Amino acid sequence: MNSNTSKSEPDTIDPMLLSVMSNRVDGIVREMTSTLLRASRSAVIASARDMSCAIVTGDNELLASAESLPVHIFGSHLQTISMQQLHPDLAEGDAFLHNDPYMGNTHPADHTILIPVFFDGEHMFTVCSKAHQADTGNATPTTYAPYAKDVYEEGGLIFPCVRVQRNFTMVEDIVRMCRRRIRVPDQWYGDFLAAIGSCRVGERRLIEFCKKYGKDKVKTFIKQWLDYSERRATQAIKQLPRATIKHTGAHDPIPGLPQGIPINCTIDIDPDEGQIVIDLRDNIDCVPNGFNVCEACSINNSIAGVMNCLDPDIPRSGGIFRRVKVLLRDGGVIGRTTFPFSASIATTNVGDRLVNLTQSAMAQLGDGYGLAEGGVGMGAGWAVVSGKDFRHNGEPYINQIFVGGNGGPASPTSDGWLTYGIPVAAGLIYRDSIELLEVKHPLHMKSMRIQPGTSAPGKFRGAPGAELIYGPKKDTMTVAIPCDGQEFPPKGVNGGHDSPGARTFKVNLDGSEERLPGVTQIDLVPGEWLRGIDNSGGGYGHPFDRDPDRVLYDVAEKWETIERARDIYGVDVREDKSSQLGFAIDYPATTARRAALMGHAHD
């Protein structure tokens, strides 16, 4: 019998076919991602890859996400729920634009295209393409509005899952609204078409998938794959000790909150039930600025922190949400943001802190569990730059650059990841090409380097931060920076040290420097520079337990200094031209120094 005419749903699919089908749907997500990456116009998407694609089932469970950003896709099902609630007349040929943080989106700068996929008249899937925009019509030239007291002051266009295509035909009214309001309309429109094209590719491939295997077998696959994901998550949780962990942290101080934004979480681990509950209800109310973390980001960032500490082979699908629950309340700075409070920077800042808080909380289970905190703060290397481009008749330009060098957190078994980026992106955002940035925008990158001595020491160290210096080629350039981690840098765990912290400076025309606040917006004239130093990740375990040969390697690579090797790690490293590395360890001196330092520490 042809698979298309099968009348009975198979009871099970054998593991080999299950693997083949799961890789096929992942492959569809990767093709969607490639389409969006190659067809988009803005550097924030086409170069930095600040975008994600996903497939959600017709009954709103995340099915496949491939290499998408956790902050983007772990809440995809919330957006498809709102699509179905608002549009009971879903039909083939529909497409929706959804960037409403009060209805399941992350923040207004993340434009999401949703397309329902029908097969034999049944809504089987929804394909999702989400991309961070260079501009959304905010009151100031940045998609981050940290000090906007509400959405009205924020100013950006918000679309609560509005239909932009009907019967495969564009709803031009919506397009005209965006083109009128957004500062770079042609750039936005190219990105908009790329996102729709990405979803249409996913739609075609999923229909082919259903035709190949038949509706009944595809339904069996969906159920079995989500059950498998849940089973794997259950098995991983059952290996953890029973515990109730309370953990606190804070975002850097901001105007009106001189002690910062406090963050509290309680994690209850029940290995018998194979379940983790993350309780985020004990947090302050929404604040009158853009730092509020909406429902989607509260869920995705806290779950991401926990999942960072479990088996990385667990499929990142809706089965996880059956075993890891998040408790939220309405009107919390972390929770369900109440309209009209702004959630402009919900995807980062406090969101990054939430990833760090949950993964470092898991380290309280003891050595071998959890992670240190990763480098936070979208500093100078993550700024939104804008102005007039003298090379193109003074046309406006605006883009978020992605050349920051925040270091990754140390783990129980390895050093931090050098090109980590920020916690919410899990190292998946690409670094911009310096050369292409200078071609696309009238700016000059003067230098970029790893900053020696910025690693957070530990048995395993956090990755170091980076220093970069840049400025305008001609005419004034506006730079908006939403940096965190200058006052409260990322923390180490289980004896690991904290990061030294990020810093940002303006280099004046006379060469003098002035320290800038973490969250700032300034205008640079030609001859002025911005100098930023990014955070490292936190360390894991005591520095005295670090293998001396690892310390030697770090010194030779100029990631660490001889002085810090001696004073923090207790390792006596000396220059030795006869050595292949140019340095060597004095092992007797190291043994004596570590003994003396440990004795001093105990005193």
Side-chain angles (χ1 to χ4, degrees):
M1 180 180 292
N2 186 288
S3 61
N4 293 339
T5 60
S6 174
K7 298 298 183 182
S8 60
E9 183 176 324
D11 292 329
T12 60
I13 295 174
D14 68 80
M16 185 66 73
L17 181 57
L18 184 72
S19 177
V20 169
M21 295 179 76
S22 67
N23 276 279
R24 180 67 190 113
V25 293
D26 258 6
I28 293 171
V29 174
R30 294 178 197 278
E31 187 176 358
M32 293 172 62
T33 303
S34 179
T35 301
L36 184 52
L37 181 68
R38 293 174 181 274
S40 56
R41 293 189 180 184
S42 64
V44 70
I45 304 172
S47 177
R49 196 182 174 274
D50 191 357
M51 52 82 169
S52 301
C53 298
I55 299 171
V56 179
T57 65
D59 56 356
N60 303 308
E61 288 196 87
L62 177 65
L63 181 66
S65 58
E67 294 180 355
S68 297
L69 309 186
V71 69
H72 281 167
I73 53 86
F74 273 6
S76 300
H77 65 291
L78 298 177
Q79 292 186 267
T80 62
I81 289 172
S82 63
M83 179 188 72
Q84 294 186 18
Q85 290 173 341
L86 292 172
H87 302 281
D89 60 341
L90 289 178
E92 187 176 4
D94 281 346
F96 301 90
L97 171 59
H98 188 353
N99 73 325
D100 190 332
Y102 312 100
M103 298 187 66
N105 190 40
T106 42
H107 69 151
D110 284 339
H111 280 198
T112 307
I113 297 296
L114 304 172
I115 289 181
V117 180
F118 290 84
F119 185 72
D120 283 348
E122 183 175 350
H123 177 202
M124 295 284 290
F125 307 97
T126 301
V127 286
C128 316
S129 288
K130 177 177 291 191
H132 186 108
Q133 303 298 302
D135 183 71
T136 55
N138 274 6
T140 56
T142 171
T143 52
Y144 303 102
Y147 296 138
K149 66 178 182 292
D150 53 32
V151 294
Y152 309 113
E153 191 169 296
E154 182 181 338
L157 288 164
I158 294 181
F159 297 96
C161 198
V162 300
R163 186 179 273 114
V164 292
Q165 284 188 340
R166 183 68 160 175
N167 195 26
F168 301 100
T169 301
M170 198 73 75
V171 179
E172 295 295 341
D173 290 343
I174 303 300
V175 173
R176 283 195 295 272
M177 288 175 63
C178 292
R179 290 186 66 92
R180 177 68 72 186
R181 181 63 174 273
I182 290 171
R183 293 173 176 83
V184 282
D186 290 342
Q187 177 177 287
W188 168 83
Y189 188 57
D191 292 343
F192 173 71
L193 292 178
I196 290 178
S198 166
C199 283
R200 291 298 181 199
V201 167
E203 178 187 36
R204 288 197 299 272
R205 297 294 180 259
L206 284 169
I207 291 172
E208 293 168 1
F209 180 73
C210 290
K211 286 180 178 178
K212 178 174 181 176
Y213 292 105
K215 182 192 291 187
D216 291 339
K217 186 170 287 187
V218 168
K219 286 184 173 181
T220 300
F221 158 71
I222 291 171
K223 180 182 184 304
Q224 200 166 324
W225 182 247
L226 293 174
D227 288 348
Y228 172 71
S229 172
E230 179 184 13
R231 190 162 61 251
R232 289 290 308 279
T234 302
Q235 291 170 348
I237 295 169
K238 284 181 174 292
Q239 296 175 26
L240 300 174
R242 176 181 293 276
T244 297
I245 306 166
K246 294 183 181 293
H247 202 35
T248 62
H251 185 282
D252 279 356
I254 58 174
L257 290 166
Q259 304 304 314
I261 301 174
I263 308 171
N264 301 303
C265 79
T266 300
I267 301 177
D268 187 74
I269 302 170
D270 186 343
D272 294 335
E273 294 295 324
Q275 182 167 282
I276 293 176
V277 177
I278 306 169
D279 191 342
L280 301 175
R281 293 174 295 182
D282 183 23
N283 281 292
I284 63 173
D285 291 341
C286 288
V287 289
N289 52 49
F291 291 91
N292 298 290
V293 183
C294 61
E295 180 182 12
C297 290
S298 296
I299 292 171
N300 61 38
N301 290 327
S302 56
I303 288 182
V306 168
M307 294 308 299
N308 288 345
C309 305
L310 300 181
D311 188 340
D313 288 336
I314 297 172
R316 268 43 179 175
S317 73
I320 292 170
F321 303 124
R322 302 172 183 174
R323 310 314 307 169
V324 184
K325 307 290 186 179
V326 182
L327 304 181
L328 305 174
R329 69 176 180 88
D330 295 336
V333 68
I334 295 172
R336 286 180 285 271
T337 306
T338 305
F339 184 87
F341 284 102
S342 173
S344 176
I345 52 176
T347 54
T348 182
N349 287 67
V350 178
D352 281 318
R353 294 288 187 166
L354 191 51
V355 177
N356 277 344
L357 194 69
T358 49
Q359 70 186 31
S360 62
M362 299 292 282
Q364 293 185 26
L365 296 174
D367 188 36
Y369 296 99
L371 293 168
E373 296 187 354
V376 297
M378 294 198 303
W382 307 79
V384 177
V385 297
S386 62
K388 304 290 186 181
D389 194 337
F390 70 94
R391 304 167 305 174
H392 299 289
N393 300 316
E395 290 184 2
Y397 70 91
I398 182 170
N399 183 51
Q400 183 176 3
I401 61 175
F402 286 82
V403 290
N406 284 325
S411 79
T413 58
S414 61
D415 294 334
W417 184 355
L418 182 62
T419 55
Y420 175 73
I422 50 177
V424 297
L428 291 167
I429 285 182
Y430 291 172
R431 291 174 57 82
D432 283 331
S433 160
I434 298 298
E435 292 77 10
L436 288 179
L437 274 183
E438 292 180 328
V439 167
K440 291 180 71 68
H441 307 301
L443 58 80
H444 175 59
M445 287 285 175
K446 188 175 184 180
S447 66
M448 177 184 296
R449 66 187 184 112
I450 297 298
Q451 188 76 352
T454 58
S455 297
K459 178 180 180 180
F460 294 101
R461 55 155 178 78
E467 179 204 62
L468 71 156
I469 303 173
Y470 64 90
K473 288 182 178 178
K474 184 180 180 181
D475 301 326
T476 300
M477 179 172 70
T478 300
V479 184
I481 307 172
C483 188
D484 185 20
Q486 299 204 11
E487 300 297 325
F488 304 145
K491 295 179 180 179
V493 296
N494 296 346
H497 288 205
D498 299 345
S499 164
R503 280 95 68 204
T504 309
F505 303 90
K506 178 186 176 185
V507 182
N508 297 309
L509 293 173
D510 61 3
S512 62
E513 291 189 347
E514 57 179 287
R515 178 83 179 266
L516 297 176
V519 180
T520 188
Q521 180 170 313
I522 63 169
D523 291 335
L524 295 177
V525 300
E528 294 179 332
W529 302 93
L530 198 69
R531 184 170 79 91
I533 299 173
D534 287 321
N535 275 296
S536 72
Y540 193 108
H542 200 285
F544 294 165
D545 293 328
R546 185 167 178 79
D547 185 339
D549 287 338
R550 285 180 173 267
V551 179
L552 172 65
Y553 177 83
D554 287 346
V555 171
E557 288 294 309
K558 299 183 180 179
W559 290 4
E560 198 50 272
T561 66
I562 288 178
E563 294 75 19
R564 279 168 49 99
R566 179 188 63 237
D567 297 338
I568 298 176
Y569 288 101
V571 178
D572 200 312
V573 178
R574 301 176 182 179
E575 290 191 35
D576 185 348
K577 294 183 179 180
S578 65
S579 168
Q580 185 176 2
L581 293 175
F583 297 89
I585 297 174
D586 185 329
Y587 286 98
T590 293
T591 300
R593 185 176 299 279
R594 282 192 162 179
L597 288 173
M598 284 188 283
H600 180 71
H602 291 149
D603 291 342

